Amino acid sequence: MPELDVCPAEELPSCSVKIVYAGTLAVGVYNLNGEYYALEDRCSHDDGPLCEGEFDPEEGFAVCPRHGAHIDICSGRGQIA
């Protein structure tokens, strides 16, 4: 994926997420204690909006709002809840 300007760093404080668009692709950009990660805003379970759900910065995972799956923000892998 090409580089994408998201926002100035001060507009994405620590432990927050911002959804941005690259054409038709929605991407959740996470600030996890000063480290930045990006996930496609799509749960692999049913293509639902992943990044619109809860975000646990202490554990480093996004929670799918449709079925509660935990997705590791750093690796993109699913975790057992």
Side-chain angles (χ1 to χ4, degrees):
M1 174 178 247
E3 286 188 22
L4 177 67
D5 286 329
V6 174
C7 64
E10 60 271 6
E11 291 181 17
L12 187 60
S14 185
C15 302
S16 66
V17 60
K18 178 179 179 101
I19 297 174
V20 296
Y21 295 87
T24 59
L25 182 67
V27 177
V29 179
Y30 293 84
N31 179 342
L32 186 58
N33 301 312
E35 297 287 326
Y36 297 92
Y37 300 92
L39 292 175
E40 183 178 359
D41 185 24
R42 182 179 63 85
C43 181
S44 60
H45 176 255
D46 68 356
D47 292 334
L50 173 65
C51 302
E52 296 172 21
E54 295 292 318
F55 163 43
D56 184 335
E58 289 185 21
E59 296 295 326
F61 59 75
V63 180
C64 177
R66 288 192 180 176
H67 67 286
H70 293 182
I71 308 299
D72 186 292
I73 291 168
C74 302
S75 70
R77 292 190 174 116
Q79 297 181 336
I80 298 172

